[in-house]
Amino acid sequence: MEIPYIFTPRKDTGLVNSKIAIWLFLASEVMLFGGFFSAYVYLRLGADYPWPERSLPVLPGLINTFVLIASSVTVVFAWAALKMRKWRQFQVYMAITVACAALFMVLKGIEYYLKFHHQAVRLHDYSIVEGHLGYEKEDGKLVLDRKGHPIEENMIRIKAEKISFSTKRYHAAWVEEMLAEASHHQAEINLEADITLVVEEGKPAIEIAKAGAPLSLELLNKIKDVHIAALAHNSQLRTVALREAWKTAHEANPGKKDRELSEGVGIDMEALKPSMLGEIPSVTFVVASPVELLFKPRDIKEGPSSSTLRDDTVITGKMEDSPMVFHYVDAIDFQWLVMKAEKKGIAAETAIENSWLMKNHDFVREAWEWHLKQTAKKQKALNDRYGFKKDGTPVRVLTEKELYRMGWKDLAEKGVDTKGVKISGFDKLKEEFMGPNYDARGNETFEELSVPRDQIRYASKFTPSWNNYYAIYFTITGLHGLHVIGGALVLLYYLLFGRKMYLSNPEWLANRVEVGGLFWHFVDLIWIFAFPIFYLM
Amino acid sequence: MADSIEEIQKSKKTYLAVFGALLVGTVLTVLVAEAPGWLYWLDVGEHGFDKWDAIVGMLIAGTKASLVAVIFMHLNHEKKLIYWVFFGAIFFFACLAGLLALAKGSPIFDYLFYK
């Protein structure tokens, strides 16, 4: 089929069809992104926690803005080159455009990677610690998991004595992990009791598994199959019996409504019992010599004597000391703690003074005392510049963030100020892109800190689950990134395969590039708003 | 539409000028937000981020976006139909944003409301 009006304009609209199409699409895109930006405003205005202001590194964002603007210019130059029938020039400009898109995505990728590897934890008193987790070590060497990755010092350790699997669902990888861990410690995991069940209606019970049988996926699958089959059979029996009961009730009381009869309708479970098959909702295994199992915090709801995994597996056993260990702390944030305290009429200083961090970690106290001096200096500078109001209060005051958050730049400054930590210009530049440079500044600046499990209210990497700011940040920038990739692919297609179109009718390719370019400008346009909103406000 | 070669040559100069303006605008946005060193007077409103910073930031972004739309996307000489389509969408977005103003003072922005 030939598409009409792709290089000659339609008489009634005066436009080629593809151009109308792209503008309609862009109009829908305005609403799509408009919706998300409005969501951002709602989330920010309605936030019940200190909104993370200017928490992203500005330099990569700024460079990305330059890159996108430059690509907008080159794409329009590529179009102009086609209009002037300069194929070679078109190729050059288009190649630069696609290269800009790639650079944009690389910088964005680095930014995402750093966020996904940066840990935050909110304590019970609402103070927040941010930083980089350490890794499990044994005799000075990194311990690797079964896939060969280092294990973060954020694992829940349980001295497992018994493990009860739900026979409806269990995560095979976790079962294998437990088996591997147990065999590593030469421990056996064996079935606690005989499993004898009726598997056929009216027949005697048969033995499914014997006590002492070793844990294996095959065994679990076998028990699961029996359980699921019994569930299906028994529920079918109950359904038929209930239908029968309703039928009898309606026949005995003609004209009566369901709700009038519902009280008296039921199943006689005793009568059904002989035909029921044996169900076994969970199956328990005993760990012969209790072995320490490690679980990711997100996979488990831990308790002092028994914990539940996300697949409903219950691990009975004492939770060992399982602190979250920050190898490098790069921020201490009391903003939320102060917000909560002030709501209760408690002074900020008192609340911070009584926080768990201040009471338990000397370096936090030391840093805080240094920070107080710094904020006093900053406030004095503001007073000198702007003076005081008539009532004696300063015209300009420090923000809550400046007052109650010690970010990595503050800690770095403290390191330089109090300990004389010096780093090279290159390392400093790297910091502007990658955030705190742990290797260069070391533990003198970013100290170690261990948070006991029972102090943690919530912990997460800087992913969408940390707070709404990151949720909307990843949504909008992720969606924008997908647009960049999509747009770049289309432009790349014109660059690589446009020659044929160009030879058959140069205007055809020019129109295509104009349409692709319109989309590209729109992508730039979204970033023009996204950049200040996420990086500067 | 700039269709003749001369016109395109001429508009290439405009594109470069817009490019320069966009770069300046971007740097200006960052400077207004950060107000570093002797540029402290760029910090509008109160100290740190406040509504005035938001307004100035969005004004600069709006100007930059208009430049892109008008010059790069050729909205300065486009057919009527395109205006209807695009500005129609902008209008509806403005309505959506207007809902925000209506919602101001609504209990959804008071988190104690949910307690």
Side-chain angles (χ1 to χ4, degrees):
Chain A
M1 191 188 84
E2 199 182 317
I3 307 166
Y5 305 112
I6 45 175
F7 34 78
T8 46
R10 241 175 90 129
K11 280 216 179 71
D12 51 354
T13 60
L15 291 160
V16 291
N17 278 357
S18 48
K19 202 160 169 184
I20 299 182
I22 193 72
W23 276 105
L24 281 171
F25 178 62
L26 292 186
S28 76
E29 293 275 85
V30 167
M31 295 314 292
L32 174 68
F33 278 98
F36 281 122
F37 278 116
S38 306
Y40 167 88
V41 177
Y42 271 100
L43 290 175
R44 181 160 188 168
L45 292 181
D48 60 351
Y49 58 95
W51 190 260
E53 260 172 41
R54 300 177 188 172
S55 61
L56 301 168
V58 174
L59 193 60
L62 180 65
I63 292 176
N64 259 351
T65 313
F66 288 157
V67 167
L68 267 199
I69 292 174
S71 74
S72 250
V73 179
T74 54
V75 82
V76 78
F77 271 33
W79 167 79
L82 280 181
K83 280 283 193 186
M84 294 188 287
R85 309 288 181 261
K86 289 181 178 162
W87 173 255
R88 191 80 205 141
Q89 235 182 51
F90 159 76
Q91 280 185 310
V92 172
Y93 285 129
M94 205 45 129
I96 297 176
T97 310
V98 176
C100 282
L103 179 58
F104 180 91
M105 288 316 292
V106 167
L107 286 174
K108 194 95 248 163
I110 294 174
E111 195 177 299
Y112 273 23
Y113 173 86
L114 291 170
K115 290 285 160 229
F116 284 138
H117 288 79
H118 197 189
Q119 179 75 38
V121 60
R122 183 153 81 233
L123 307 185
H124 275 300
D125 59 12
Y126 284 93
S127 35
I128 289 169
V129 182
E130 296 167 18
H132 193 76
L133 293 183
Y135 294 103
E136 303 274 348
K137 279 184 179 166
E138 230 173 60
D139 310 327
K141 274 188 179 170
L142 283 177
V143 183
L144 301 182
D145 66 8
R146 288 193 308 135
K147 288 175 188 157
H149 301 305
I151 302 165
E152 272 185 344
E153 276 188 287
N154 184 23
M155 303 294 268
I156 311 259
R157 302 157 175 282
I158 292 172
K159 199 101 182 163
E161 291 158 15
K162 275 185 190 177
I163 307 172
S164 290
F165 295 95
S166 149
T167 39
K168 260 191 192 159
R169 57 173 201 157
Y170 41 82
H171 187 39
W174 292 347
V175 179
E176 281 169 1
E177 199 111 355
M178 286 172 201
L179 282 168
E181 199 64 31
S183 82
H184 179 72
H185 293 281
Q186 282 99 38
E188 282 179 6
I189 308 180
N190 299 326
L191 192 61
E192 187 181 38
D194 290 343
I195 300 180
T196 314
L197 295 168
V198 180
V199 294
E200 239 177 302
E201 203 178 319
K203 298 256 172 81
I206 59 163
E207 187 172 77
I208 308 291
K210 246 186 156 33
L215 169 67
S216 69
L217 272 177
E218 291 78 40
L219 179 60
L220 277 180
N221 285 339
K222 189 177 163 193
I223 299 167
K224 179 181 165 186
D225 288 344
V226 170
H227 176 62
I228 299 284
L231 273 185
H233 176 87
N234 295 349
S235 87
Q236 175 69 14
L237 278 184
R238 281 193 296 269
T239 311
V240 169
L242 197 58
R243 270 203 200 115
E244 202 57 45
W246 273 107
K247 204 174 152 197
T248 324
H250 275 297
E251 277 169 6
N253 308 284
K256 287 227 168 166
K257 296 235 163 73
D258 281 3
R259 63 185 141 83
E260 291 165 314
L261 295 175
S262 62
E263 286 281 300
V265 178
I267 318 170
D268 180 7
M269 291 303 284
E270 280 305 309
L272 282 183
K273 234 175 197 170
S275 350
M276 298 277 249
L277 300 186
E279 292 176 17
I280 174 161
S282 72
V283 51
T284 306
F285 289 81
V286 180
V287 186
S289 51
V291 59
E292 193 179 274
L293 298 177
L294 296 180
F295 299 97
K296 285 191 186 122
R298 63 177 180 149
D299 292 339
I300 197 165
K301 179 130 186 57
E302 73 273 14
S305 61
S306 94
S307 310
T308 312
L309 288 176
R310 274 197 294 157
D311 64 354
D312 293 340
T313 302
V314 179
I315 318 267
T316 312
K318 198 173 149 281
M319 185 174 83
E320 305 272 283
D321 194 22
S322 313
M324 179 188 251
V325 183
F326 284 93
H327 201 48
Y328 301 106
V329 170
D330 61 34
I332 304 276
D333 195 328
F334 290 125
Q335 286 180 87
W336 202 347
L337 171 131
V338 168
M339 189 175 160
K340 289 271 173 192
E342 282 176 350
K343 284 258 186 283
K344 287 186 199 154
I346 303 168
E349 291 70 28
T350 319
I352 292 172
E353 202 54 46
N354 287 312
S355 67
W356 181 85
L357 283 169
M358 288 284 275
K359 282 186 175 165
N360 289 277
H361 286 278
D362 288 343
F363 93 83
V364 176
R365 181 168 290 281
E366 191 195 313
W368 178 249
E369 275 157 14
W370 180 85
H371 180 74
L372 282 181
K373 280 184 209 146
Q374 293 301 110
T375 46
K377 268 189 219 160
K378 283 183 194 163
Q379 184 58 54
K380 191 174 172 300
L382 280 182
N383 295 347
D384 292 347
R385 191 168 282 157
Y386 297 102
F388 295 87
K389 292 182 200 162
K390 275 184 191 153
D391 61 0
T393 53
V395 173
R396 291 196 174 192
V397 288
L398 294 179
T399 60
E400 300 269 303
K401 186 178 166 184
E402 284 169 313
L403 286 172
Y404 304 124
R405 180 186 161 90
M406 293 183 272
W408 72 265
K409 286 195 174 167
D410 298 311
L411 294 177
E413 203 184 322
K414 176 182 167 281
V416 175
D417 190 26
T418 59
K419 292 183 182 154
V421 178
K422 284 211 175 77
I423 68 167
S424 69
F426 175 73
D427 279 328
K428 272 188 194 152
L429 184 69
K430 211 169 131 195
E431 276 187 332
E432 293 301 324
F433 279 92
M434 318 277 281
N437 193 332
Y438 308 116
D439 296 333
R441 294 195 189 270
N443 274 119
E444 288 198 304
T445 300
F446 304 120
E447 308 217 17
E448 242 187 78
L449 186 146
S450 162
V451 185
R453 198 57 54 184
D454 60 3
Q455 285 299 325
I456 297 176
R457 182 181 284 273
Y458 183 68
S460 161
K461 292 279 193 296
F462 281 84
T463 58
S465 62
W466 176 232
N467 56 29
N468 280 342
Y469 168 77
Y470 282 101
I472 193 77
Y473 156 75
F474 279 110
T475 308
I476 293 184
T477 57
L479 192 64
H480 177 265
L482 289 177
H483 278 70
V484 171
I485 294 173
L489 285 177
V490 171
L491 297 180
L492 185 67
Y493 176 83
Y494 296 148
L495 174 64
L496 298 179
F497 306 106
R499 182 78 180 156
K500 219 171 117 188
M501 243 187 274
Y502 180 72
L503 291 178
S504 82
N505 184 348
E507 204 54 22
W508 184 13
L509 183 63
N511 284 344
R512 283 280 180 97
V513 169
E514 191 187 0
V515 165
L518 281 172
F519 178 76
W520 195 251
H521 296 310
F522 182 79
V523 171
D524 183 20
L525 213 134
I526 294 298
W527 186 254
I528 284 175
F529 287 104
F531 171 61
I533 286 178
F534 287 113
Y535 293 74
L536 303 173
M537 290 184 179
Chain B
M1 170 91 8
D3 263 357
S4 72
I5 292 190
E6 295 79 52
E7 272 182 75
I8 289 174
Q9 279 294 9
K10 226 167 80 190
S11 48
K12 273 175 91 169
K13 278 186 193 146
T14 321
Y15 298 147
L16 282 178
V18 170
F19 177 51
L22 291 175
L23 293 189
V24 171
T26 308
V27 172
L28 195 63
T29 321
V30 175
L31 291 183
V32 168
E34 309 235 307
W38 61 273
L39 289 170
Y40 66 86
W41 48 272
L42 275 175
D43 187 1
V44 290
E46 287 165 25
H47 174 69
F49 177 78
D50 64 325
K51 65 178 176 195
W52 293 107
D53 290 272
I55 291 170
V56 172
M58 283 299 102
L59 277 180
I60 300 174
T63 313
K64 284 164 67 189
S66 308
L67 278 177
V68 170
V70 171
I71 308 293
F72 287 167
M73 297 169 92
H74 304 139
L75 278 183
N76 51 353
H77 44 66
E78 201 44 276
K79 296 282 181 299
K80 226 180 186 170
L81 182 65
I82 303 277
Y83 291 142
W84 277 109
V85 169
F86 192 62
F87 290 108
I90 301 284
F91 169 75
F92 283 116
F93 171 62
C95 293
L96 182 64
L99 288 176
L100 283 176
L102 284 181
K104 203 167 179 277
S106 142
I108 66 156
F109 289 141
D110 176 9
Y111 76 96
L112 292 174
F113 176 73
Y114 299 101
K115 295 269 156 83

